[in-house]
Amino acid sequence: YQRKLSAAFDHTIDFTVEKKADANYKPVGAASIAAKVLRDEALETWKWSEPGLELSHKYGSGYPSDPKTTEWMRENLDPFFGLPSIARFSW
């Protein structure tokens, strides 16, 4: 991924990609916290893009290991359309 990022910027930026970067680099840790706060705020006020869709906003943390999240996904999985647009399929 480090090479891919570097190539995307014509090799003009040096990137460091490593596990636990948020614990090893204070700016990355701060950015991680800011991103989580912004995500939580966005999810609290989420407006469904699907017309006429009104679902519970009690979807937990969004992580697959969260029982509230998996329960919400089970309850809101449409057999034909799948999950609403709020669900992401990769990490």
Side-chain angles (χ1 to χ4, degrees):
Y1 197 72
Q2 189 168 331
R3 282 185 295 236
K4 183 177 182 177
L5 280 173
S6 184
F9 288 88
D10 295 323
H11 303 284
T12 58
I13 300 174
D14 291 328
F15 290 94
T16 300
V17 176
E18 65 183 60
K19 293 179 180 177
K20 301 294 183 186
D22 55 340
N24 297 330
Y25 301 94
K26 289 182 182 182
V28 177
S32 178
I33 292 169
K36 289 174 185 171
V37 169
L38 289 172
R39 179 202 64 206
D40 291 348
E41 288 177 3
L43 289 176
E44 286 177 14
T45 59
W46 184 267
K47 303 287 184 217
W48 304 106
S49 62
E50 295 86 352
L53 189 63
E54 292 297 326
L55 302 174
S56 167
H57 281 78
K58 297 179 182 177
Y59 23 67
S61 67
Y63 291 99
S65 60
D66 183 342
K68 280 187 179 182
T69 298
T70 54
E71 178 183 349
W72 185 90
M73 291 174 73
R74 269 195 303 277
E75 291 174 356
N76 294 289
L77 177 64
D78 184 278
F80 183 77
F81 293 108
L83 290 167
S85 62
I86 196 171
R88 67 181 184 186
F89 296 96
S90 64
W91 296 91

